[in-house]
Amino acid sequence: MMQLSTLFFNSSLNFPPKVHSFALSKPASFGSSLCMTTFGDFRVKSEMGSSSSTLLDCVGRENMGDDLVVLFAHLQYACKRIAAVVASPFNSELWKRVGLADSSTTPGAGRDAPKPLDIVSNEIILSSLQSSGKVAVMASEEDDAPVWIADNGPFVVVTDPLDGSRNIDASIPTGTIFGIYNRLLELDHLPAEEKALLNSLQCGTRLIAAGYVLYSSATIFCVSFGSGSHAFTLDRSTGDFVLTHPTIKIPPRGQIYSVNDARYFDWPQGLRQYIDTVRQGKGKYPKKYSARYICSLVADLHRTLIYGGIAMNPRDHLRLVYEANPLSFIVEQAGGRGSDGKNRILSIQPVELHQRLPLFLGSLEDMKELESYGDVRQKINPGYEV
């Protein structure tokens, strides 16, 4: 891991000798109704409401304590670093230097093998959580076991540091997913390894906050503290995540389904029947549904939150602890539903850190209609290289 970090963050290796940037001719003001910013010869004007606020402003208003504000200050810093790493033109060089560009030559490598950027992103988040002084345990997709960080940290963080990284060479959106729990004080007497695992296996109903960060044309930080879901967009001129989507409400019904339907013939009859019905416009919503599939969970989920519909993976593929639970928490707080095709995701008690399950996320009425078709969970999992 040190080799990866040294490679990527050594400025002499990764950044050109001169970096040209545009200076703001006037500081941007988000408290006023009009924001005017000048970049070189281009003038950018946007209407901003007087109630515009930043991510940390909103965390502070949640009245959940200063500890959570400090934690989110470090989380947003980590995600801004990851956004810069993802957008770097030197990613291919990173692949070559660590010898992972060709997975066929890497022992044990495969579809889910850690990629260089996954590992770097994991280190960035771990370092930020350690620096915060507010986290007892971090459980990550990239680690075999949870990491015990501090005995007095009040929080537990579960995370997928860089979801969708296998598509990064094609500039397809990626994302970070995280969930936050309170540390279980009743486990403090146990050995570190045991209490780290048990703290990480809390049921999703115990989440105190969850979020995802989308790295795309914009960097968007979507979060919920149990009282609605809100999205903030990174203003690169100030470094702030500015509130752009307050109190997101997923439409009760959409007109989009997101799934890899190349695997149609591996699906159970219920799922095939549902998809056949809605795309012909013969479902409960009398319009033909369209397919939109990015194959990046955060991106597919973000679009679904905004436009409605369903994002799904019917296979036992997605992780309950650090993918399904945090995203289901956000969807429910936006008025939707997260399900494994039959059961509410947040009601499922994790028994393993990397436990997998099918995942269906989306509009409440669409989800109810989908589940009415019976078993929609794919039991056949043939191998696919792509």
Side-chain angles (χ1 to χ4, degrees):
M1 288 188 178
M2 289 300 295
Q3 182 182 8
L4 289 172
S5 296
T6 302
L7 168 64
F8 203 89
F9 296 114
N10 184 327
S11 59
S12 65
L13 289 174
N14 294 290
F15 296 97
K18 280 190 176 182
V19 179
H20 299 284
S21 60
F22 294 105
L24 295 179
S25 63
K26 182 180 180 181
S29 172
F30 295 104
S32 61
S33 60
L34 181 65
C35 176
M36 179 75 76
T37 305
T38 303
F39 296 87
D41 295 329
F42 299 95
R43 293 178 66 78
V44 181
K45 182 169 66 175
S46 60
E47 297 293 333
M48 306 289 289
S50 59
S51 61
S52 295
S53 57
T54 68
L55 172 61
L56 294 185
D57 291 335
C58 291
V59 178
R61 286 198 292 268
E62 289 293 323
N63 295 319
M64 299 180 71
D66 293 341
D67 286 342
L68 198 65
V69 176
V70 172
L71 173 55
F72 267 86
H74 285 78
L75 271 175
Q76 74 164 10
Y77 172 71
C79 292
K80 284 188 281 188
R81 289 184 65 191
I82 294 172
V85 169
V86 167
S88 169
F90 304 98
N91 290 335
S92 59
E93 183 67 17
L94 177 63
W95 278 77
K96 294 173 185 175
R97 294 195 182 213
V98 297
L100 292 176
D102 184 1
S103 62
S104 64
T105 63
T106 306
R111 178 187 181 91
D112 294 322
K115 311 299 188 294
L117 292 181
D118 290 303
I119 299 171
V120 170
S121 299
N122 194 58
E123 290 187 12
I124 289 172
I125 291 179
L126 176 59
S127 176
S128 292
L129 297 186
Q130 289 172 328
S131 298
S132 75
K134 303 301 180 183
V135 178
V137 184
M138 169 179 146
S140 167
E141 179 185 2
E142 305 307 325
D143 298 321
D144 293 335
V147 178
W148 187 262
I149 297 176
D151 289 339
N152 60 348
F155 302 117
V156 175
V157 176
V158 296
T159 182
D160 181 350
L162 192 60
D163 177 77
S165 61
R166 62 189 300 269
N167 294 316
I168 206 163
D169 283 350
S171 296
I172 291 174
T174 55
T176 294
I177 305 169
F178 66 88
I180 301 173
Y181 298 91
N182 286 316
R183 183 181 98 241
L184 298 174
L185 301 180
E186 60 269 29
L187 302 178
D188 283 354
H189 66 285
L190 296 174
E193 183 177 333
E194 185 176 355
K195 64 184 178 182
L197 179 60
L198 293 177
N199 269 286
S200 303
L201 295 179
Q202 296 186 56
C203 188
T205 54
R206 299 178 67 98
L207 281 163
I208 62 169
Y212 64 78
V213 183
L214 174 66
Y215 309 113
S216 184
S217 56
T219 299
I220 297 177
F221 196 123
C222 184
V223 66
S224 176
F225 301 96
S227 56
S229 295
H230 317 280
F232 303 77
T233 301
L234 179 62
D235 182 342
R236 290 182 171 86
S237 68
T238 65
D240 291 324
F241 279 100
V242 179
L243 181 63
T244 50
H245 299 74
T247 316
I248 296 172
K249 294 295 183 185
I250 185 171
R253 187 175 287 280
Q255 201 177 336
I256 297 172
Y257 69 89
S258 175
V259 67
N260 183 1
D261 57 9
R263 301 185 178 185
Y264 176 90
F265 295 104
D266 299 324
W267 293 345
Q269 181 61 32
L271 183 56
R272 278 189 283 173
Q273 186 178 355
Y274 169 76
I275 294 296
D276 288 343
T277 300
V278 298
R279 65 185 177 189
Q280 292 179 75
K282 296 180 179 179
K284 294 182 179 179
Y285 187 55
K287 290 188 177 181
K288 294 181 180 180
Y289 279 45
S290 297
R292 298 285 187 274
Y293 183 57
I294 303 171
C295 193
S296 176
L297 179 58
V298 171
D300 281 315
L301 185 275
H302 183 71
R303 183 198 55 245
T304 302
L305 269 183
I306 302 302
Y307 298 127
I310 301 181
M312 63 185 104
N313 190 324
R315 298 181 298 141
D316 291 330
H317 180 68
L318 297 171
R319 282 77 167 187
L320 172 61
V321 172
Y322 40 80
E323 290 176 323
N325 269 337
L327 296 183
S328 294
F329 185 80
I330 292 169
V331 170
E332 284 198 7
Q333 289 299 318
R337 175 171 168 80
S339 167
D340 68 352
K342 184 177 181 181
N343 306 297
R344 180 192 182 209
I345 290 291
L346 296 182
S347 68
I348 300 173
Q349 174 60 54
V351 295
E352 297 177 1
L353 183 62
H354 301 291
Q355 181 175 339
R356 296 173 183 257
L357 78 176
L359 181 59
F360 301 82
L361 300 163
S363 298
L364 191 59
E365 292 180 17
D366 283 316
M367 288 291 294
K368 288 180 179 178
E369 183 174 359
L370 168 72
E371 291 174 337
S372 72
Y373 280 78
D375 189 6
V376 294
R377 297 175 293 185
Q378 180 179 329
K379 298 180 176 64
I380 302 172
N381 288 316
Y384 290 86
E385 294 302 318
V386 178

